[in-house]
Amino acid sequence: AQSVAQPEDQVNVAEGNPLTVKCTYSVSGNPYLFWYVQYPNRGLQFLLKYITGDNLVKGSYGFEAEFNKSQTSFHLKKPSALVSDSALYFCAVRRPSNTGKLIFGQGTTLQVKP
Amino acid sequence: DAGVIQSPRHEVTEMGQEVTLRCKPISGHDYLFWYRQTMMRGLELLIYFNNNVPIDDSGMPEDRFSAKMPNASFSTLKIQPSEPRDSAVYFCASSSGQEFQPQHFGDGTRLSIL
């Protein structure tokens, strides 16, 4: 069965420190991987995606993600966290040739403290 | 460009009433998705359309829920009769046909059934 796991319900970091939000997946083939962010009372916003090529992808707001095929992981990272980064983060995966359906993780709340 | 537009943003109604949620996807997108988000169950895919045709409705909770897409620029999700357990935030999302393109979400409809 296809699945996405975000092992941490919440991640707490201090402003200015690096942050990592973890994601692992179980999907056959070479999936497409996505990160979304959700602020309160808003819809999910696309941050970045991995399709192929360089394992480190850069996205919006200074975020980046590292794809590791052997570990089937796609961790979200940022070198220096901001208080405004506090939000709910979702990892998602789509199997190639799938008809558009995304499989989402359960979400990780990021709390950045001043 | 206008994003995905959902209406209403908030809906409060009494149990047993019919509820209709509306969505206007991004122009040119040929996939449309309806999701439901709750604290208990997280983000759930209810149904999705491709070129106005329902592709997968396996996530629709029960027969009280129905969705239509009469044309490329409009979709509705209807609940009849509504129940308190239907209270949630309902999101609509759209994407282009290329499988590596992200989904774009509206800001949701917060539904409360009393």
Side-chain angles (χ1 to χ4, degrees):
Chain A
Q2 302 170 72
S3 64
V4 177
Q6 294 180 239
E8 301 152 317
D9 289 338
Q10 182 158 328
V11 171
N12 298 309
V13 297
E15 188 174 32
N17 283 0
L19 70 87
T20 298
V21 182
K22 296 180 180 177
C23 171
T24 59
Y25 63 91
S26 176
V27 174
S28 59
N30 297 311
Y32 303 132
L33 299 157
F34 302 82
W35 274 102
Y36 287 82
V37 60
Q38 185 181 26
Y39 298 101
N41 301 314
R42 300 296 304 275
L44 280 68
Q45 296 177 34
F46 168 70
L47 273 180
L48 51 79
K49 64 183 178 184
Y50 174 81
I51 305 301
T52 187
D54 193 349
N55 290 342
L56 186 66
V57 293
K58 295 187 183 298
S60 306
Y61 312 121
F63 284 92
E64 56 191 27
E66 186 169 13
F67 171 65
N68 187 317
K69 187 172 183 177
S70 63
Q71 298 186 1
T72 61
S73 67
F74 188 55
H75 300 332
L76 182 69
K77 300 181 179 184
K78 187 174 183 181
S80 178
L82 300 172
V83 172
S84 57
D85 293 331
S86 299
L88 181 59
Y89 290 81
F90 290 94
C91 180
V93 61
R94 177 186 295 146
R95 187 162 50 89
S97 303
N98 185 281
T99 52
K101 184 176 177 178
L102 280 175
I103 302 168
F104 282 91
Q106 68 270 37
T108 298
T109 297
L110 173 66
Q111 189 78 24
V112 181
K113 297 185 177 179
Chain B
D1 286 341
V4 175
I5 299 172
Q6 293 186 246
S7 64
R9 287 298 313 276
H10 303 274
E11 175 88 15
V12 181
T13 191
E14 293 187 346
M15 181 175 65
Q17 296 298 307
E18 179 179 288
V19 174
T20 300
L21 310 181
R22 297 172 176 81
C23 175
K24 177 179 171 57
I26 292 173
S27 177
H29 283 187
D30 51 1
Y31 280 91
L32 184 138
F33 306 82
W34 282 101
Y35 292 88
R36 178 172 69 176
Q37 186 178 36
T38 61
M39 289 293 291
M40 291 296 294
R41 300 175 68 92
L43 193 64
E44 303 173 275
L45 176 65
L46 300 177
I47 185 172
Y48 75 95
F49 296 82
N50 179 221
N51 291 323
N52 313 338
V53 176
I55 302 300
D56 183 352
D57 65 354
S58 59
M60 295 286 262
E62 48 197 275
D63 292 346
R64 297 185 297 107
F65 286 70
S66 63
K68 294 182 179 179
M69 192 165 186
N71 57 64
S73 59
F74 184 66
S75 178
T76 60
L77 178 67
K78 188 171 293 187
I79 308 172
Q80 168 62 20
S82 57
E83 297 183 4
R85 59 191 168 125
D86 302 332
S87 298
V89 181
Y90 290 81
F91 290 104
C92 176
S94 69
S95 69
S96 73
Q98 294 172 308
E99 58 189 3
F100 50 82
Q101 293 299 337
Q103 293 179 15
H104 298 265
F105 284 73
D107 280 335
T109 295
R110 183 173 296 275
L111 178 62
S112 297
I113 309 297
L114 306 177

